[in-house]
Amino acid sequence: MDPWTAATLATAEKCWTAMVGVIEDLADPDVHRRLPVAGSNSPYAVAHHCVEMTRWWLGTLGCGLDLPRDRASEFSATGTVDDLLVRIEATRADMERWSVQMVRDGIACRDAQGTTADVDLATVTPQWVLLHVVHELAQHLGQMQIPRDILLT
């Protein structure tokens, strides 16, 4: 693995580790709570979205896998903490494999459907895709930490 991809994946790992920490800090009922602010999402839903976002950008677009995505429903997702943690761990493992493949072989499925990002999928590079995923993970981690901090006070 080239040094840039390794460094990018190391940053993603820090985000995933911190997300798992947020989820583990909250009990099953609290992980589904939303702040009383318009547009607020539960920590569970945000983490679920991160799993699905990663699967789509790297697995579907990057590697050409047929991984169905219902983006509209991601922010209303519910489930158990244990099930979510299993999905996160699987995604973390897949992320490394998919990233290496995508950087090595190029974007596999430029006509994939499943994103609202304002970007031309015909011209993105594998490095752009990987950096976009890490950017989204970092952004959504912050969106999980704020409700966690408020709910635990």
Side-chain angles (χ1 to χ4, degrees):
M1 177 184 319
D2 68 276
W4 185 89
T5 301
T8 305
L9 288 173
T11 303
E13 273 299 303
K14 288 180 182 181
C15 292
W16 285 119
T17 297
M19 282 185 190
V20 166
V22 169
I23 293 163
E24 289 176 339
D25 285 345
L26 298 169
D28 261 323
D30 286 337
V31 78
H32 293 292
R33 290 182 55 197
R34 297 170 185 250
L35 297 180
V37 177
S40 176
N41 295 297
S42 73
Y44 182 99
V46 174
H48 170 76
H49 165 70
C50 287
V51 167
E52 295 302 315
M53 174 272 304
T54 301
R55 288 169 42 88
W56 188 85
W57 280 100
L58 299 177
T60 299
L61 178 79
C63 294
L65 303 173
D66 184 18
L67 303 174
R69 182 179 190 196
D70 181 3
R71 190 185 187 288
S73 70
E74 290 173 12
F75 291 101
S76 60
T78 60
T80 68
V81 166
D82 289 342
D83 289 343
L84 181 59
L85 292 175
V86 167
R87 293 188 66 234
I88 288 172
E89 287 310 308
T91 302
R92 290 168 88 163
D94 291 338
M95 184 175 183
E96 180 173 346
R97 184 171 39 85
W98 292 337
S99 297
V100 169
Q101 178 182 332
M102 180 183 64
V103 168
R104 181 189 66 226
D105 300 341
I107 306 291
C109 188
R110 291 188 182 274
D111 61 348
Q113 302 293 309
T115 185
T116 59
D118 185 18
V119 62
D120 182 3
L121 297 179
T123 62
V124 297
T125 64
Q127 291 79 10
W128 184 94
V129 170
L130 187 51
L131 193 56
H132 175 70
V133 169
V134 173
H135 169 261
E136 292 295 310
L137 291 174
Q139 171 183 263
H140 291 311
L141 168 60
Q143 292 170 341
M144 292 172 65
Q145 290 169 325
I146 292 168
R148 187 249 347 247
D149 294 349
I150 292 170
L151 289 169
L152 292 179
T153 59

